[in-house]
Amino acid sequence: MATEQASERRASHIRGVTVTAIASLGGIAAAFVSAMFLGTAAKDQLALGIVGAFVFVQLPILQVLGIDVEDFSTKDHLYVLFMTFSLWFVTWTILLTNGVTF
């Protein structure tokens, strides 16, 4: 019984780390795509569309990695959205501040 609990805790931890990693990497990738398509001008709302697309693309990726997205609660979806947006915002801000062009 203790082994089952440890196994469940480990699986839950791996699930959380996987979801966080994919959401974070998705946000960083969205920032680079925003910088490539929009350059150094942060005046186009297309950037939010890019972030939204990256959020939706993550769900099939998580399914391929073995995460049951059907069991996601509203809290889980909001977490993925928040992490993706946050990393996108910070990364794109750094790219814009430094004038990085592709």
Side-chain angles (χ1 to χ4, degrees), residues 23-63:
S24 298
L25 293 173
I28 293 168
F32 279 98
V33 170
S34 295
M36 281 191 276
F37 281 114
L38 303 175
T40 58
K43 59 184 175 188
D44 197 344
Q45 292 181 356
L46 176 62
L48 291 176
I50 292 170
V51 173
F54 271 83
V55 169
F56 286 116
V57 166
Q58 289 176 39
L59 298 177
I61 292 172
L62 289 170
Q63 285 179 333

Side-chain angles (χ1 to χ4, degrees), residues 14-16 18-19 59 62-70 72:
I14 290 173
R15 176 186 178 267
T18 303
V19 170
L59 298 177
L62 289 170
Q63 285 179 333
V64 167
L65 293 175
I67 305 294
D68 190 9
V69 180
E70 309 249 334
F72 271 23

